[in-house]
Amino acid sequence: MKPFIDAGEIWGYLNTTPATKERVREVIAKSLDKNRLTLEETAVLINATDPELIEEIKQGARRLKEKVYGQRIVLFAPLYVGNLCTNNCAYCGFKASNKVLKRVTLGEEDLVAQVKALEDTGQKRLILVFGEHPKYDAKFIADSVRTVYSVKSGPGEIRRVNINAAPMDIDDFRIIKDSKIGTYQIFQETYHEDTYAKVHMGGQKRNYEWRLTALDRAQEAGIDDVGIGALFGLYDWRFEVMGLVRHTNHFEAVYNVGPHTISFPRIQYASQLNIDQTHMVSDAEFTRLVAILRLAVPYTGLILTARESASIRDEIMQFGVSQIDGGTNIELGGYSKKKDNEDQDIDLEQFQINDNRTLNEIMDELISKKYIPSFCTACYRLGRTGEHFMEFSVPGFIKRYCQPNALMTLVEYLEDYAPAETKTKGYQLVQEKLDQIEDATFRKTLVEKIEELKNGKRDLYF
Ligand code: SAM
Ligand code: SF4
């Protein structure tokens, strides 16, 4: 395969694309018209440094989110399965050279205990995370996924298991596909090859191209639901945004469907962190880059994790984030320990997280702010892949499927897990949203389904 990331090309765009007021407005309008942006157009937004234009970009992203996705926010939780690792990534607490890190791999019993604890808070969607180690081969990962799906606690069940794991060959991707994973997620970390070589100091991960082409092999194996990402802080954020857009374009050109999600973790404090601070991304730049990504790839889900503080998450969510984690605990075995998340043991974890709220605290806040928290897994269960694209391009899809399904998963949560106060607030929101449905026949069908849920039925969706 021809390498699709060309640093010269990306810098060419960044160095020569002017960001006049007219051009910036044209590009925002193109995006609001539901068109993905080209690399040149993305560079226009990146090069806009006038505060007034930056504000227009942020407002554009906010409008696009409201227009396309409405007020839904999908919730999930990460579950770390094992922190053995043969690589030496400068930024990561799991790096092989870190001798103070306590190495743990969850056995089946431990894994089941974590899943039960997660289900007991109301979680329905997990992402399993693994270090890169011969022990975590495709079979091990597939077995972990199957175990997670098999665990039921009361009304609780996990309905979608995504994974974040090292790149594999096509045969191994087939093995994990058979376990019915949702999304396969892998971050390139940096699209800049020289920086990549500097920060990946040992192990298989040193191979830039093997990682860059991982999702093409996944595609070949039939895994068409994939997530990409860059670790912000390793290299110039403007270059990484262009890299993410180029990766997306590559996917669309070759497979006719873009990645399902884009993640944009910022480097956080970690055990034995060893990187230079030159490219650290400020909060203002971070907000800008999320708004630019929203406009550049209008129908790709954007994930913002608990690496960021509650206040930053609240601020940035409005610019187009579609998924957040809640009740996050990244200590190996941490969910079943029921200890206060405040005191993270950094020598047992990959990095510092900054949003320690419980799932219910987050649910409660989202409801208060009129977001609709969603645990919906309908598209995945019904084989409707490319759901973000459908949300975007099929008229009425959100009204007919996404919003009602989000409300039904919210009702399940309110019935099974919410304390009284959240329950009252939650049902007020559900009622408000029901009142806004114009089609009376459809509203009646949805009200009936919600009644069924209240009477104990579960897992209903359109
Ligand atoms: N071992 C797998 C791999 O390298 O692809 C799993 C990755 S790791 C468990 C998940 C992601 O966390 C990494 O891809 C990286 O982007 C991110 N990460 C690593 N160290 C981090 C840090 N100090 N702060 C924030 N994110 C970090
Ligand atoms: Fe290992 Fe992944 Fe951490 Fe690198 S980022 S040290 S591969 S767990």
Side-chain angles (χ1 to χ4, degrees):
M1 182 188 299
K2 260 180 51 204
F4 53 87
I5 296 285
D6 176 344
E9 180 192 42
I10 291 180
W11 275 121
Y13 282 121
L14 288 172
N15 288 332
T16 60
T17 308
T20 60
K21 215 176 246 187
E22 295 69 39
R23 192 73 189 107
V24 171
R25 288 180 181 160
E26 259 170 37
V27 171
I28 296 174
K30 178 179 174 190
S31 170
L32 283 171
D33 220 15
K34 301 186 172 188
N35 296 297
R36 179 180 55 62
L37 302 182
T38 63
L39 279 183
E40 190 266 339
E41 289 158 346
T42 308
V44 170
L45 299 186
I46 291 175
N47 285 344
T49 49
D50 173 345
E52 188 191 327
L53 289 179
I54 291 175
E55 199 45 43
E56 286 186 31
I57 290 169
K58 282 159 63 176
Q59 292 321 318
R62 199 211 302 251
R63 273 183 53 204
L64 187 72
K65 174 179 159 62
E66 279 164 12
K67 191 166 148 187
V68 176
Y69 294 95
Q71 292 303 97
R72 287 167 304 122
I73 294 279
V74 170
L75 284 141
F76 70 96
L79 172 51
Y80 279 71
V81 181
N83 66 10
L84 293 172
C85 197
T86 48
N87 291 324
N88 263 317
C89 309
Y91 45 82
C92 179
F94 293 170
K95 65 173 92 67
S97 63
N98 184 355
K99 301 298 174 211
V100 295
L101 191 92
K102 297 164 205 148
R103 304 280 169 179
V104 179
T105 302
L106 299 184
E108 194 174 332
E109 226 173 86
D110 293 334
L111 184 60
V112 170
Q114 302 315 302
V115 179
K116 281 199 163 137
L118 283 157
E119 288 177 354
D120 290 345
T121 63
Q123 303 279 5
K124 297 282 186 277
R125 306 169 58 109
L126 300 185
I127 180 153
L128 305 189
V129 187
F130 304 83
E132 181 162 358
H133 193 270
K135 193 166 172 174
Y136 312 142
D137 60 7
K139 188 177 172 307
F140 178 88
I141 294 173
D143 287 345
S144 307
V145 172
R146 288 196 180 90
T147 301
V148 172
Y149 279 128
S150 73
V151 178
K152 314 276 174 207
S153 179
E157 60 181 356
I158 299 302
R159 297 177 183 159
R160 178 171 176 135
V161 182
N162 300 332
I163 64 166
N164 180 315
M168 300 169 208
D169 62 24
I170 296 172
D171 287 340
D172 282 350
F173 275 127
R174 288 205 177 98
I175 294 173
I176 59 163
K177 181 184 162 56
D178 284 348
S179 67
K180 305 214 173 349
I181 59 162
T183 306
Y184 169 63
Q185 183 191 65
I186 182 172
F187 305 154
Q188 186 59 27
E189 319 298 10
T190 172
Y191 285 95
H192 190 253
E193 204 166 348
D194 294 348
T195 305
Y196 188 95
K198 258 187 239 156
V199 296
H200 297 108
M201 304 170 304
Q204 283 205 28
K205 195 165 166 179
R206 279 185 65 72
N207 189 335
Y208 173 90
E209 240 178 81
W210 180 246
R211 195 165 180 93
L212 190 62
T213 50
L215 295 177
D216 297 273
R217 292 190 299 281
Q219 197 78 30
E220 193 86 354
I223 300 176
D224 55 4
D225 191 328
V226 296
I228 63 173
L231 181 58
F232 281 87
L234 295 177
Y235 187 57
D236 194 314
W237 67 266
R238 301 172 303 155
F239 186 95
E240 305 297 11
V241 169
M242 295 288 278
L244 289 166
V245 173
R246 181 68 191 93
H247 204 164
T248 304
N249 297 355
H250 161 74
F251 250 76
E252 286 178 355
V254 183
Y255 308 108
N256 224 3
V257 55
H260 187 108
T261 55
I262 295 185
S263 301
F264 29 84
R266 268 197 300 186
I267 294 180
Q268 307 296 327
Y269 175 73
S271 172
Q272 311 276 303
L273 185 72
N274 172 24
I275 47 155
D276 91 50
Q277 310 279 311
T278 318
H279 297 293
M280 287 301 157
V281 176
S282 70
D283 291 351
E285 289 167 332
F286 193 55
T287 313
R288 250 174 93 192
L289 80 84
V290 174
I292 292 170
L293 276 174
R294 173 67 303 145
L295 290 170
V297 289
Y299 47 81
T300 306
L302 296 184
I303 303 180
L304 180 62
T305 68
R307 289 175 180 86
E308 302 296 337
S309 67
S311 61
I312 289 181
R313 293 224 284 178
D314 287 350
E315 162 73 14
I316 287 180
M317 226 151 52
Q318 55 178 321
F319 301 119
V321 170
S322 50
Q323 290 191 29
I324 61 170
D325 50 342
T328 299
N329 185 327
I330 63 171
E331 175 177 331
L332 276 289
Y335 287 112
S336 61
K337 285 191 189 156
K338 290 231 165 22
K339 74 165 198 185
D340 190 350
N341 262 359
E342 299 284 327
D343 51 346
Q344 243 184 298
D345 179 354
I346 205 68
D347 289 331
L348 198 55
E349 304 182 28
Q350 196 187 12
F351 47 77
Q352 183 87 46
I353 60 166
N354 290 296
D355 185 351
N356 294 307
R357 288 174 294 176
T358 63
L359 178 61
N360 192 70
E361 282 166 343
I362 292 193
M363 294 290 289
D364 197 278
E365 240 180 274
L366 289 173
I367 292 167
S368 300
K369 293 190 170 138
K370 306 286 181 201
Y371 285 105
I372 310 174
S374 173
F375 295 97
C376 181
T377 53
C379 283
Y380 156 72
R381 315 274 292 289
L382 293 168
R384 287 196 299 242
T385 47
E387 68 204 59
H388 288 305
F389 185 73
M390 287 196 272
E391 286 174 11
F392 201 75
S393 52
V394 179
F397 191 89
I398 293 182
K399 276 194 191 157
R400 183 71 184 77
Y401 297 100
C402 311
Q403 180 131 329
N405 285 340
L407 289 173
M408 286 196 283
T409 59
L410 174 59
V411 167
E412 284 185 325
Y413 178 83
L414 297 176
E415 288 297 317
D416 294 335
Y417 304 102
E421 207 183 306
T422 312
K423 192 167 174 177
T424 311
K425 255 197 261 181
Y427 272 120
Q428 277 164 6
L429 179 70
V430 172
Q431 192 55 50
E432 272 171 40
K433 297 294 166 192
L434 284 172
D435 292 343
Q436 287 165 9
I437 299 177
E438 286 159 13
D439 178 343
T441 319
F442 185 67
R443 189 189 323 124
K444 186 163 169 279
T445 311
L446 181 56
V447 168
E448 283 165 9
K449 284 201 185 288
I450 289 178
E451 277 312 306
E452 285 181 57
L453 291 169
K454 286 185 183 168
N455 291 328
K457 264 232 169 141
R458 289 292 169 264
D459 204 15
L460 301 176
Y461 47 84
F462 292 103

